[in-house]
Amino acid sequence: MTALTMGAAITAALARSLADDDRVLLMGEDIGRLGGVFRVTDGLQQRFGAQRVVDTPLAEAGIVGTAVGLALRGYRPIVEIQFDGFVYPAFDQIVCQVAKLHYRSNGRIRMPMVIRIPWAGGVGAAEHHSESPEAYFAHTAGLRVVAASTPQDAYVMLRQAVASDDPVVFFEPKRLYHSKGEVDLDADLADAPPLHLARVAREGTDATIVTYGALVRTALDAALAAEDEGISLEVIDLRSLSPMDLTTVAASVRKTGRVVVAHEAARQAGLGAEIVASITERCFHHLEAPPERVTGHDIPYPPSKLEKHHVPDLDRLLYAVDAVLERTSGHALSARTPTATEGAR
Amino acid sequence: MTALTMGAAITAALARSLADDDRVLLMGEDIGRLGGVFRVTDGLQQRFGAQRVVDTPLAEAGIVGTAVGLALRGYRPIVEIQFDGFVYPAFDQIVCQVAKLHYRSNGRIRMPMVIRIPWAGGVGAAEHHSESPEAYFAHTAGLRVVAASTPQDAYVMLRQAVASDDPVVFFEPKRLYHSKGEVDLDADLADAPPLHLARVAREGTDATIVTYGALVRTALDAALAAEDEGISLEVIDLRSLSPMDLTTVAASVRKTGRVVVAHEAARQAGLGAEIVASITERCFHHLEAPPERVTGHDIPYPPSKLEKHHVPDLDRLLYAVDAVLERTSGHALSARTPTATEGAR
Amino acid sequence: MTYTQTQPDHGPAAPGTPADAPRASVGDVDDVVRVLEPDGTRVPDAVLDPWIADLSPHELRALHRDMVLTRRLDAEGVALQRQGQLALWAPCRGQEAVQIGTAHALAAGDFVFPSYREHGVLLARGARPEGYVLAWRGEEHSAYDHTTINAAPPQIIIGAQTLHATGWAMGAQRDGSDDVAVAYFGDGATSQGDVNEAMVFASTFRAPVVFVCSNNQWAISEPVTVQTKYPIAGRAPGFGIPSLRIDGNDVLACVAAMRWALDRARRGEGPSFLEAVTYRMGPHTTSDDPTRYRTSEEVDSWAQRDPIARFEAYLCAEGVLDDSALAEVAAAADTLAAEVRAACIGATTRAPETVFDHVYAEPHAALAQQKADYAQYLAGFATEDAR
Amino acid sequence: MTYTQTQPDHGPAAPGTPADAPRASVGDVDDVVRVLEPDGTRVPDAVLDPWIADLSPHELRALHRDMVLTRRLDAEGVALQRQGQLALWAPCRGQEAVQIGTAHALAAGDFVFPSYREHGVLLARGARPEGYVLAWRGEEHSAYDHTTINAAPPQIIIGAQTLHATGWAMGAQRDGSDDVAVAYFGDGATSQGDVNEAMVFASTFRAPVVFVCSNNQWAISEPVTVQTKYPIAGRAPGFGIPSLRIDGNDVLACVAAMRWALDRARRGEGPSFLEAVTYRMGPHTTSDDPTRYRTSEEVDSWAQRDPIARFEAYLCAEGVLDDSALAEVAAAADTLAAEVRAACIGATTRAPETVFDHVYAEPHAALAQQKADYAQYLAGFATEDAR
Ligand SMILES: Cc1ncc(C[n+]2csc(CCOP(=O)(O)OP(=O)(O)O)c2C)c(N)n1
Ligand SMILES: Cc1ncc(C[n+]2csc(CCOP(=O)(O)OP(=O)(O)O)c2C)c(N)n1
Ligand SMILES: [Mg+2]
Ligand SMILES: [Mg+2]
């Protein structure tokens, strides 16, 4: 095991993928000599050459569209979209081509492509640099969509995504790039949990928090805070956003009977809706209180000085936990936690 | 009142909008001399001139992007996307520009734009001509999203959309273009129900079907069929997909305690998820059975010979009604209805 | 360097007509390179001639034959649609020369990225009869086996395939092969961002890709003047891509220009661009009514430039074709049409549950469950019926 | 018409270097039109001279002053970021001539569509001090009042604004006004589909729009050779849009070229394209480390072409500027910097609930409810605290 930041774990996964299979290519803006604006591809062009780590022209449809052609020729392109907010020019290529070519060709064509997207907010960035577009992709049949929340998962899941013959949209929570964790660089992929499974990040009995990406850490913090109050929270890291491991989610909800679903993306028609709907359908008779969603508001991402009022934080999670636990008048947990002052105020 | 097809009602609304306000413009591919591939703009270029009914180059980002500029200059562009599947090249302009400019400019800029989209399947069309992308737009803050299901609504809602200072994505169910209904061409917009309200298309007491677009007709057929069995179904036509009139929906569910939500779009992270989640949150203690979703499968739109196995039909609605009514073993209603043979087999 | 000219200096003057006074073409349709006059007279062209000097009578007859077959196939497509056997068909009549000429110049390892209208290209690649019709019938999204004919599924999203071709070419380049990718698209497509981005990528990476724009003067109801005020072939040089504006109804010019472009690509000189000036003789699709937007005079004038009549006149004059050869080709065309008709009419619709197949290449439990649920739902009807 | 040249014939040869051997420029950076040599010597240019013959000493001083102010403003932006007062800043040092020169040529009714780097353009349009900084501080998405300065909010999505400019111009055209739209963007942006589609629409509709591409040689870490193998100004003619490749560090050339383009637009001749060859002296943004991808020699060589030093040398030699005037300008620059600093440091963050404002122009009950719920949630802390 090695202690690595999530960024370094991703770099390691990319290097390993490039080394293991010479059909793997990296493509994107500034990923070569610069090593990417987050330095995630640092050193890779030097090591693998400009034919395999390709600085592309500044055009996202072009990047994804040419990657489609490379995949048709037998390559396995890993595409970097520089920031979440810049994926939309490539939306047509992703939705109509990448997602559908296997189906359109009756299974004859495969699209083993990974689309890496530094993702979501909370880093004080400029407009268009803090988007959470995951629901768009999860609603698109033919894509797999995943989000890592630990360096170990980032390393393993990225390698699994590269190995998959399906296209995978790979979300990298940018506010975790510098967070550290132990990574087993030599682990056999075959021993790792499959890409589509959720992970019980913490076991608990009173209520379940289902989330993914950077909010997994916030949820674990919430569980710690709640523990002081004698409340036992289970935290589920969804990991795969399409398909979703609803079996793991439902098992937890059957146990706790109470659930909070959290994400940064806007609430309306976000993934939280799917999770709540699926839970309701599967666990109707086990639910003891209506599920709660803690999400970004139905607004464009606000200016960064105000982002803390948009991105769910510890207090908002605890507030919702209070609600599903039917504790009187909200704020019972959140106003008592030592971190409350960092939160909404 | 005049009997008009939905297509003709839309033509009338466009003509009226062009006549009433010379800042209104129509833009799109083949909308001028040809009158649009569905003839919805037939005669309008002749009547209002090529400066106001504009055949554009073949580029959807270009159409929407120039419409943004026209709106900035004080125009009120009505943009036609030729088919649902061709909206994706414009996705970036819609999501990052059209939806966000009012917010980005702190309210100084307005985007009074209507994006008309002939929409959804069931018409035996080629690939990419039967898409249901509404969830993408409903998840995007800053847009309003509506879908008409009758000629009268199409006429009034389109005029309301044109009058709105917000951008409106206007979905036109193409399999209803030729369906007829009475339209009051002289009705005062002020007397019409506001754009954001749902409509109780049929009152009932045993269960509620919530849907929108062409499936409203299917739901009404289902209600008729169920009536023969002594079952009273309430049908809600959502009309506005963003925002959603959850007040009307919740009132119905509180009454019936049972609900089926239907749409053509894929199930996962579709609008049905939002509706079910919202109902669960609002009507938890009134729900007598888990809500059912009847949707397109989580697959790309299939070849047209197989589309009847994707687009929900009468039988699939009745099957779900059986389920929410907890009638034994499904098919109780659907296998008995006279139209069952048109359905899934 | 200055580019002060109000009209660019590297082509005919862009017409100054306003957008609402469309013309049928941008640039004179005769301002092209060609080796066959509309009446079939062979004329010299210094650029093209070297590339076709070696064409044997056998090869000439093969070109002719495939053009005739394409026309017959196309007529069959229209007929099948009129008879309710196909939901739609996009006729290619009038465009046989550019499709067959460019496709005949290819090597087996090259890969084509066609639009929905390139029936002739697919024919020349050796497609099977069912390939042409099953998608238009609504049985499959694409019934071509791309691996045997080295052709991508025909593309409906205008222009998207140009990027795929460019990417494929970047792959061929990395493989050290001399395979070339070919992107086929229309005049309307040149307005799409994708097509322009494809030129950017192709130029930057010197990708071995040939852009073949069939300028058939119309994008549904819009004349080419809505897309551009400057000849399409004049666009590419500004991306660093050399181009030729060829007579798209002269099959020999198409072969020659394509060989020139392929040769550049194989020699590592990167992309080339061909604008083939041609005409869509039929409607946009069988759903279209072209009388709403163009005159019969215009159509008639293009009938005078017919690619097959022209080539036949030339070949007969040269003694390469005679009546018996023509009869043989006609018979082959009828055979093809019959095969296509049989493949169409004989088609059976797949089982309902197959709509769930091939969404993913890897196992997908959730979708497998949806499939099982749907199968059970369908089976329920049978049960009910049986009661 | 043929375009058989393997190198297009209307510009310098496209460099044949492969993609992975980038060069700092495409085309010779001196292959431009200019009237001021890097050392400030005035040279004649037949194309440009007529457009600036009438510039008065007053106007010349105004140009100089705004360039100096822009540089000072820019330095203040960098300083404020280094001091933690701004989250980010995108320096424009080195690009003052193209920004000020083109903006000074505008009429009040014209409308500019800037990118994130056009601080000088906004200054010339009369922006208020807080405009420059509040977005970079994270207080607002855009703090410019577009109605008073006729400028769209600076655009971060590369190239998107070029379509807005074109649409605005189509509106101006319909209004029968002689207002012109100006789209500002970088060399990297030319690869985006949107920019190419903007040229298509502008050309088709003869829209009164001027495309101003500041080719500062870099798109973050990518040299312009990754975007194009052919000079950028050579792209536009292929869309039917005439262009000029100008010395972007020569403010007089920028004024002249812009006047030429604006005049064409006002006379109904449609769009024009300017490639201003310049250099980004600073990092891409304050987050960037340009030493990772370019040499200090390259930066130094461009320092020799500094737009302000050059213009000062010329104006002093002409007697238009003297030491006291220079001192006055320096004082004005310090005043501006102080105002900007004050606007930045004095900024207060809006109330939390304002994140819900201006999502929609019309009432929106659901969002109003979310706002009320959130306000209540926040108020709950106060209540808890009070207990
Ligand atoms: C992205 C997209 N937008 C619109 C359409 C609808 N459409 C289909 S064909 C066509 C015209 C294409 O014209 P052109 O490129 O000249 O090709 P041609 O049909 O003449 O062969 C249009 C607008 C589409 N298929 N895809
Ligand atoms: C659509 C999109 N893709 C990527 C980015 C990230 N990005 C910001 S600036 C930039 C480089 C732009 O280069 P250029 O157009 O030359 O302008 P310059 O920064 O040199 O002024 C990139 C890639 C973006 N903002 N938008
Ligand atoms: Mg065409
Ligand atoms: Mg640049």
Side-chain angles (χ1 to χ4, degrees):
Chain A
M1 300 289 261
T2 323
L4 289 180
T5 62
M6 181 181 284
I10 295 170
T11 311
L14 294 172
R16 177 72 182 265
S17 303
L18 284 160
D20 283 358
D21 181 352
D22 58 17
R23 308 304 281 177
V24 170
L25 294 179
L26 266 49
M27 304 171 68
E29 298 158 7
D30 304 295
I31 66 167
R33 197 178 304 192
L34 183 64
V37 294
F38 294 102
R39 306 293 183 267
V40 165
T41 54
D42 197 18
L44 298 179
Q45 189 181 66
Q46 238 173 321
R47 180 164 162 207
F48 296 99
Q51 291 296 310
R52 299 193 62 205
V53 180
V54 186
D55 271 330
T56 65
L58 207 177
E60 288 76 10
I63 297 170
V64 175
T66 53
V68 167
L70 280 154
L72 267 162
R73 175 82 196 182
Y75 284 85
R76 305 181 79 85
I78 305 176
V79 153
E80 174 175 306
I81 301 292
Q82 196 164 79
F83 277 88
D84 35 50
F86 310 146
V87 72
Y88 305 118
F91 203 71
D92 177 58
Q93 285 286 345
I94 296 174
V95 165
C96 295
Q97 310 296 333
V98 176
K100 293 192 172 73
L101 267 162
H102 188 62
Y103 195 72
R104 282 165 65 191
S105 65
N106 249 321
R108 286 185 292 260
I109 292 173
R110 299 195 164 204
M111 274 292 123
M113 187 189 303
V114 178
I115 302 176
R116 292 179 44 236
I117 308 185
W119 168 59
V123 296
E127 210 187 347
H128 305 293
H129 289 71
S130 305
E131 303 283 305
S132 292
E134 64 270 20
Y136 298 130
F137 300 111
H139 185 52
T140 305
L143 300 177
R144 294 179 187 265
V145 184
V146 303
S149 77
T150 67
Q152 171 72 18
D153 265 2
Y155 178 73
V156 172
M157 290 169 71
L158 181 50
R159 290 185 56 209
Q160 289 171 322
V162 175
S164 171
D165 272 352
D166 289 320
V168 180
V169 181
F170 191 88
F171 283 108
E172 304 174 0
K174 51 177 113 62
R175 72 175 183 274
L176 298 187
Y177 270 142
H178 298 292
S179 76
K180 276 205 168 178
E182 293 295 318
V183 180
D184 179 359
L185 293 172
D186 305 312
D188 197 333
L189 278 196
D191 299 335
L195 194 54
H196 65 274
L197 289 192
R199 178 172 65 94
V200 180
R202 179 190 167 113
E203 295 199 16
T205 51
D206 295 332
T208 304
I209 301 182
V210 181
T211 190
Y212 52 90
L215 283 181
V216 172
R217 302 203 136 217
T218 316
L220 289 171
D221 287 347
L224 264 184
E227 194 175 35
D228 294 341
E229 293 276 310
I231 291 162
S232 164
L233 295 183
E234 180 143 311
V235 175
I236 293 185
D237 176 0
L238 214 48
R239 294 180 7 123
S240 177
L241 313 184
S242 178
M244 285 182 194
D245 176 7
L246 295 166
T247 310
T248 298
V249 171
S252 176
V253 175
R254 286 202 194 94
K255 176 171 70 175
T256 62
R258 301 170 191 275
V259 61
V260 171
V261 179
H263 56 63
E264 283 187 40
R267 177 184 177 95
Q268 183 170 275
L271 288 192
E274 179 58 54
I275 299 166
V276 169
S278 293
I279 288 172
T280 305
E281 289 157 0
R282 282 156 201 252
C283 311
F284 188 69
H285 299 290
H286 295 83
L287 275 178
E288 292 175 39
E292 283 279 326
R293 282 185 274 169
V294 182
T295 68
H297 312 301
D298 287 320
I299 62 174
Y301 201 87
S304 62
K305 286 269 185 183
L306 293 159
E307 68 183 334
K308 64 171 175 284
H309 293 291
H310 181 64
V311 177
D313 62 8
L314 181 64
D315 280 331
R316 285 177 63 199
L317 281 185
L318 290 173
Y319 187 73
V321 167
D322 275 343
V324 297
L325 291 172
E326 297 164 288
R327 287 158 63 105
T328 45
S329 82
H331 289 282
L333 274 172
S334 51
R336 276 180 191 81
T337 59
T339 45
T341 47
E342 294 168 27
R345 282 160 302 174
Chain B
M1 299 290 258
T2 322
L4 290 180
T5 62
M6 183 182 284
I10 294 170
T11 312
L14 293 173
R16 177 73 182 267
S17 302
L18 284 160
D20 283 358
D21 182 352
D22 57 17
R23 308 302 281 178
V24 170
L25 293 181
L26 266 49
M27 304 171 68
E29 297 159 5
D30 304 294
I31 67 167
R33 198 179 301 193
L34 182 64
V37 294
F38 293 102
R39 305 293 183 266
V40 165
T41 54
D42 197 16
L44 298 178
Q45 189 181 65
Q46 238 172 325
R47 181 165 161 209
F48 296 100
Q51 292 296 309
R52 299 194 61 205
V53 180
V54 186
D55 271 331
T56 64
L58 207 177
E60 288 76 11
I63 296 171
V64 174
T66 54
V68 167
L70 279 154
L72 267 161
R73 176 80 196 186
Y75 284 86
R76 304 181 79 85
I78 306 177
V79 154
E80 174 175 306
I81 301 292
Q82 196 164 80
F83 276 89
D84 35 48
F86 310 146
V87 72
Y88 305 118
F91 203 71
D92 177 58
Q93 285 287 345
I94 296 174
V95 164
C96 295
Q97 309 295 332
V98 176
K100 293 192 172 74
L101 266 162
H102 189 62
Y103 194 71
R104 281 165 66 192
S105 66
N106 250 321
R108 285 185 292 258
I109 292 174
R110 299 194 165 206
M111 274 293 124
M113 187 188 303
V114 178
I115 302 177
R116 293 181 41 240
I117 308 186
W119 169 59
V123 296
E127 209 189 347
H128 305 294
H129 289 70
S130 305
E131 303 282 305
S132 292
E134 65 270 20
Y136 298 131
F137 300 111
H139 185 53
T140 305
L143 301 176
R144 293 179 188 267
V145 185
V146 303
S149 76
T150 68
Q152 171 71 19
D153 265 2
Y155 178 73
V156 172
M157 289 169 71
L158 181 51
R159 291 186 54 210
Q160 290 171 320
V162 175
S164 171
D165 272 352
D166 289 320
V168 180
V169 181
F170 191 89
F171 283 108
E172 304 174 0
K174 48 176 118 63
R175 73 176 183 273
L176 298 187
Y177 270 142
H178 298 293
S179 76
K180 276 205 168 177
E182 294 294 319
V183 180
D184 180 358
L185 293 172
D186 305 313
D188 197 333
L189 279 196
D191 300 335
L195 193 55
H196 65 274
L197 289 192
R199 179 173 65 94
V200 179
R202 177 189 168 113
E203 295 200 15
T205 51
D206 294 331
T208 303
I209 301 183
V210 181
T211 189
Y212 52 90
L215 283 182
V216 172
R217 301 202 138 216
T218 315
L220 289 171
D221 287 348
L224 264 184
E227 195 173 37
D228 293 341
E229 294 276 310
I231 290 162
S232 163
L233 295 182
E234 180 142 312
V235 175
I236 294 186
D237 177 0
L238 213 49
R239 293 179 7 123
S240 177
L241 313 184
S242 179
M244 286 183 193
D245 176 8
L246 295 167
T247 310
T248 298
V249 171
S252 176
V253 175
R254 285 203 194 94
K255 177 171 69 174
T256 62
R258 299 170 192 277
V259 61
V260 171
V261 180
H263 56 62
E264 285 187 39
R267 177 185 178 94
Q268 182 169 276
L271 288 192
E274 179 58 53
I275 299 167
V276 168
S278 293
I279 288 172
T280 305
E281 288 156 1
R282 281 156 202 251
C283 311
F284 188 70
H285 298 290
H286 294 84
L287 276 178
E288 292 174 39
E292 283 279 327
R293 281 185 275 171
V294 182
T295 69
H297 312 300
D298 287 319
I299 63 175
Y301 201 88
S304 61
K305 287 268 184 183
L306 293 160
E307 68 183 335
K308 63 171 176 285
H309 293 291
H310 181 64
V311 177
D313 61 8
L314 182 64
D315 280 330
R316 285 176 63 199
L317 281 185
L318 291 172
Y319 187 74
V321 168
D322 274 342
V324 297
L325 291 172
E326 296 164 288
R327 288 158 62 103
T328 44
S329 81
H331 289 282
L333 274 172
S334 50
R336 277 178 189 79
T337 59
T339 44
T341 47
E342 296 168 23
R345 283 160 303 177
Chain C
M1 190 61 192
T2 78
Y3 301 84
T4 48
Q5 62 282 5
T6 50
Q7 296 302 346
D9 65 5
H10 65 321
T17 47
D20 40 352
R23 299 171 26 160
S25 190
V26 177
D28 185 340
V29 296
D30 283 320
D31 190 9
V32 291
V33 287
R34 67 162 66 103
V35 296
L36 287 180
E37 293 291 339
D39 65 2
T41 316
R42 176 75 193 250
V43 289
D45 184 280
V47 175
L48 301 181
D49 283 338
W51 296 102
I52 43 175
D54 67 337
L55 279 181
S56 68
H58 176 76
E59 287 167 311
L60 292 169
R61 278 193 295 266
L63 285 166
H64 170 263
R65 177 194 164 93
D66 275 0
M67 286 168 72
V68 173
L69 260 57
T70 300
R71 182 159 298 182
R72 186 67 187 82
L73 160 66
D74 191 60
E76 196 61 30
V78 173
L80 285 165
Q81 194 282 332
R82 298 287 179 234
Q83 294 157 20
Q85 292 294 334
L86 296 180
L88 194 75
W89 181 259
C92 69
R93 192 158 61 86
Q95 302 180 215
E96 296 87 354
V98 49
Q99 297 189 5
I100 298 303
T102 56
H104 268 243
L106 300 174
D110 300 334
F111 206 100
V112 301
F113 292 78
S115 85
Y116 45 85
R117 206 184 295 287
E118 265 85 24
H119 315 301
V121 172
L122 290 151
L123 180 134
R125 297 302 280 169
R128 305 258 327 123
E130 68 276 15
Y132 307 110
V133 280
L134 294 193
W136 298 105
R137 189 176 165 89
E139 305 288 2
E140 304 288 349
H141 284 320
S142 170
Y144 294 105
D145 178 359
H146 75 283
T147 54
T148 57
I149 61 175
N150 265 13
Q155 183 62 250
I156 284 180
I157 301 294
I158 300 296
Q161 75 278 17
T162 58
L163 283 167
H164 308 166
T166 303
W168 193 95
M170 289 164 63
Q173 188 180 43
R174 279 168 175 69
D175 293 340
S177 85
D178 66 356
D179 299 338
V180 181
V182 186
Y184 286 94
F185 53 100
D187 45 302
T190 61
S191 294
Q192 286 284 9
D194 277 10
V195 175
N196 293 280
E197 293 189 10
M199 289 199 271
V200 169
F201 277 67
S203 175
T204 288
F205 297 118
R206 277 185 173 253
V209 55
V210 183
F211 296 102
V212 179
C213 177
S214 293
N215 175 1
N216 63 7
Q217 314 302 323
W218 293 93
I220 309 186
S221 73
E222 298 187 350
V224 61
T225 45
V226 172
Q227 316 297 339
T228 182
K229 294 298 179 199
Y230 193 71
I232 290 170
R235 174 93 56 94
F239 290 83
I241 301 175
S243 65
L244 279 172
R245 189 167 197 251
I246 59 176
D247 185 334
N249 285 11
D250 171 357
V251 69
L252 294 181
C254 295
V255 173
M258 194 67 179
R259 287 180 167 185
W260 164 80
L262 291 167
D263 178 65
R264 289 192 72 245
R266 296 197 214 287
R267 284 190 291 106
E269 296 198 359
S272 314
F273 190 107
L274 304 181
E275 176 192 356
V277 177
T278 181
Y279 196 76
R280 190 193 80 210
M281 295 300 292
H284 171 68
T285 65
T286 47
S287 299
D288 181 38
D289 173 10
T291 65
R292 292 178 72 100
Y293 53 79
R294 67 186 192 184
T295 63
S296 57
E297 290 73 40
E298 179 181 304
V299 180
D300 292 345
S301 82
W302 279 92
Q304 304 307 312
R305 304 169 164 269
D306 185 74
I308 297 182
R310 179 188 311 200
F311 194 42
E312 261 175 28
Y314 168 67
L315 294 181
C316 290
E318 293 285 307
V320 176
L321 272 188
D322 57 18
D323 284 353
S324 87
L326 283 171
E328 199 188 307
V329 170
D334 286 339
T335 305
L336 171 65
E339 286 170 1
V340 168
R341 166 166 292 263
C344 176
I345 294 178
T348 49
T349 300
R350 290 193 259 138
E353 319 83 73
T354 62
V355 298
F356 295 94
D357 297 343
H358 305 306
V359 181
Y360 296 93
E362 311 251 352
H364 193 291
L367 201 57
Q369 185 63 50
Q370 275 190 20
K371 181 177 181 176
D373 289 348
Y374 190 67
Q376 195 194 327
Y377 162 79
L378 289 180
F381 288 100
T383 317
E384 294 287 336
D385 289 350
R387 266 185 212 159
Chain D
M1 189 61 191
T2 77
Y3 301 84
T4 48
Q5 62 282 3
T6 49
Q7 296 301 345
D9 65 3
H10 64 323
T17 47
D20 41 353
R23 301 172 24 161
S25 190
V26 177
D28 185 339
V29 296
D30 284 319
D31 191 8
V32 291
V33 288
R34 68 161 66 103
V35 296
L36 287 180
E37 294 289 340
D39 65 2
T41 315
R42 175 77 192 249
V43 289
D45 183 280
V47 175
L48 300 182
D49 283 338
W51 296 104
I52 42 174
D54 67 339
L55 279 181
S56 67
H58 176 75
E59 287 166 308
L60 293 170
R61 278 192 296 266
L63 285 167
H64 170 263
R65 178 193 164 94
D66 275 1
M67 287 168 71
V68 173
L69 260 57
T70 299
R71 180 158 299 182
R72 185 67 187 83
L73 160 66
D74 191 60
E76 196 62 29
V78 173
L80 285 165
Q81 194 281 333
R82 297 289 178 232
Q83 292 156 20
Q85 291 294 333
L86 297 179
L88 195 74
W89 182 259
C92 68
R93 192 158 60 88
Q95 302 180 215
E96 296 87 353
V98 50
Q99 298 191 3
I100 297 303
T102 56
H104 268 244
L106 300 173
D110 299 334
F111 206 100
V112 301
F113 292 78
S115 85
Y116 44 84
R117 205 184 297 288
E118 264 85 24
H119 315 302
V121 171
L122 291 152
L123 180 135
R125 297 303 280 169
R128 306 261 324 125
E130 67 275 16
Y132 307 111
V133 280
L134 294 194
W136 298 106
R137 190 176 165 90
E139 305 288 3
E140 305 287 348
H141 283 321
S142 170
Y144 294 106
D145 178 358
H146 75 282
T147 55
T148 57
I149 59 175
N150 265 15
Q155 183 63 251
I156 285 180
I157 301 294
I158 301 296
Q161 74 277 18
T162 58
L163 284 166
H164 308 166
T166 303
W168 192 95
M170 289 165 62
Q173 188 179 42
R174 279 165 176 70
D175 293 340
S177 85
D178 67 356
D179 299 338
V180 180
V182 186
Y184 287 94
F185 53 100
D187 45 303
T190 61
S191 294
Q192 286 282 9
D194 277 10
V195 175
N196 294 279
E197 293 188 10
M199 289 198 271
V200 169
F201 276 68
S203 175
T204 287
F205 297 118
R206 278 186 172 251
V209 54
V210 183
F211 296 102
V212 179
C213 177
S214 294
N215 175 2
N216 65 6
Q217 313 302 323
W218 294 93
I220 310 185
S221 74
E222 298 187 349
V224 62
T225 45
V226 172
Q227 316 297 339
T228 183
K229 294 297 179 200
Y230 194 71
I232 290 169
R235 174 93 56 94
F239 289 82
I241 301 176
S243 65
L244 280 173
R245 189 166 198 251
I246 58 177
D247 185 334
N249 285 10
D250 171 358
V251 70
L252 294 181
C254 294
V255 173
M258 193 67 179
R259 286 180 167 184
W260 165 80
L262 291 166
D263 179 64
R264 290 192 72 245
R266 295 198 214 287
R267 284 190 291 106
E269 296 197 1
S272 315
F273 189 107
L274 305 181
E275 177 193 357
V277 177
T278 181
Y279 196 77
R280 189 193 81 210
M281 296 299 292
H284 171 68
T285 65
T286 47
S287 298
D288 181 38
D289 173 9
T291 64
R292 292 177 73 99
Y293 53 80
R294 66 186 192 186
T295 62
S296 58
E297 289 72 42
E298 180 181 304
V299 180
D300 293 347
S301 82
W302 279 92
Q304 304 306 313
R305 303 168 164 270
D306 186 75
I308 296 182
R310 178 189 313 200
F311 195 42
E312 262 176 29
Y314 168 67
L315 293 183
C316 290
E318 292 285 306
V320 175
L321 271 188
D322 57 18
D323 285 353
S324 89
L326 284 171
E328 201 187 306
V329 170
D334 286 339
T335 305
L336 171 64
E339 285 169 1
V340 168
R341 166 166 292 260
C344 176
I345 294 179
T348 49
T349 300
R350 291 193 259 138
E353 320 82 73
T354 62
V355 299
F356 295 94
D357 297 343
H358 306 304
V359 180
Y360 296 93
E362 311 249 353
H364 193 292
L367 202 57
Q369 185 64 49
Q370 275 190 20
K371 180 177 180 176
D373 289 348
Y374 190 67
Q376 196 194 327
Y377 162 78
L378 289 181
F381 288 101
T383 316
E384 294 287 336
D385 289 349
R387 267 185 212 159

